[in-house]
């Protein structure tokens, strides 16, 4: 997905998406790879969630939850 597509899906601005991606990269949750004019992102799913309410859960747990089909 592009930042524009993410923004449209989530209902935020493209700039807000870019700030979130920058924050995730700074935190080590993603790695940005440049391919010409495009960026590709690698997610590091084994890192722990950083909010205290999700203590003990890894990014992988959230991604698996989001990938579940609707009932």
């Amino acid at each position: 997905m592009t930042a524009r597509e993410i923004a449209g899906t989530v209902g935020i601005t493209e700039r807000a998406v870019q700030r979130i991606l920058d924050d995730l990269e700074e935190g080590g949750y993603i790695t940005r790879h440049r391919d010409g004019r495009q960026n590709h992102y690698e997610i590091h799913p084994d890192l722990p969630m950083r909010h205290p309410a999700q203590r003990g859960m890894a990014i992988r747990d959230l991604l698996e939850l989001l990938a579940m089909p609707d009932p």
Side-chain angles (χ1 to χ4, degrees):
M1 282 182 114
T2 65
R4 179 172 290 154
E5 292 169 333
I6 293 170
T9 299
V10 178
I12 59 177
T13 66
E14 193 173 339
R15 182 68 193 128
V17 170
Q18 194 57 52
R19 284 193 304 266
I20 292 167
L21 290 171
D22 290 344
D23 182 50
L24 290 171
E25 183 178 26
E26 185 177 309
Y29 288 89
I30 62 174
T31 302
R32 184 182 325 233
H33 302 282
R34 193 97 173 132
D35 183 17
R37 294 181 55 189
Q38 294 183 331
N39 289 321
H40 297 272
Y41 298 91
E42 176 185 358
I43 300 170
H44 304 289
D46 294 322
L47 290 176
M49 302 276 271
R50 57 185 175 184
H51 192 278
Q54 287 86 33
R55 184 168 287 127
M57 295 183 68
I59 298 298
R60 177 182 314 282
D61 299 323
L62 175 63
L63 295 174
E64 289 173 356
L65 180 65
L66 293 172
M68 290 177 62
D70 290 333

